[in-house]
Amino acid sequence: SNFQRCVMTQTIPLHRYVRTPSSTSTNTALRIEISAKYMGRTDCPSVFRMEARVANIRRELIHQSSTSTLEAPAGFWEKATLT
């Protein structure tokens, strides 16, 4: 058997959901939480890594965060979260 790397991407246009803070709250920070459930395969060792990138409307990177490489257990779901 031969197994290949599997990658999933998802783009969320935050400008559709997040409004600019009012001028009265100039130091308001926005907290974004990203999570995913994952499960390993039963026929081979599996790992999971999640990466989140926040970019502006011009696709310039503003912030980036990632999990370490996690062992993916076979037979039950695990959850990873980034904030």
Side-chain angles (χ1 to χ4, degrees):
S1 295
N2 194 5
F3 298 99
Q4 301 293 324
R5 179 181 172 152
C6 177
V7 177
M8 182 190 94
T9 62
Q10 182 178 16
T11 301
I12 301 169
L14 293 178
H15 67 278
R16 292 184 185 169
Y17 307 102
V18 179
R19 301 290 177 235
T20 305
S22 69
S23 58
T24 59
S25 57
T26 56
N27 290 331
T28 302
L30 180 64
R31 181 176 183 258
I32 300 172
E33 181 176 301
I34 297 104
S35 64
K37 287 189 174 185
Y38 61 97
M39 181 189 313
R41 296 175 57 119
T42 58
D43 58 348
C44 66
S46 301
V47 294
F48 177 84
R49 183 171 181 271
M50 182 169 57
E51 182 177 284
R53 297 178 182 176
V54 179
N56 64 18
I57 196 82
R58 295 182 301 275
R59 297 190 183 265
E60 297 167 336
L61 187 64
I62 297 171
H63 182 74
Q64 181 175 346
S65 182
S66 64
T67 65
S68 59
T69 300
L70 306 168
E71 295 292 322
F76 65 92
W77 290 99
E78 191 66 67
K79 182 178 178 180
T81 303
L82 293 171
T83 52

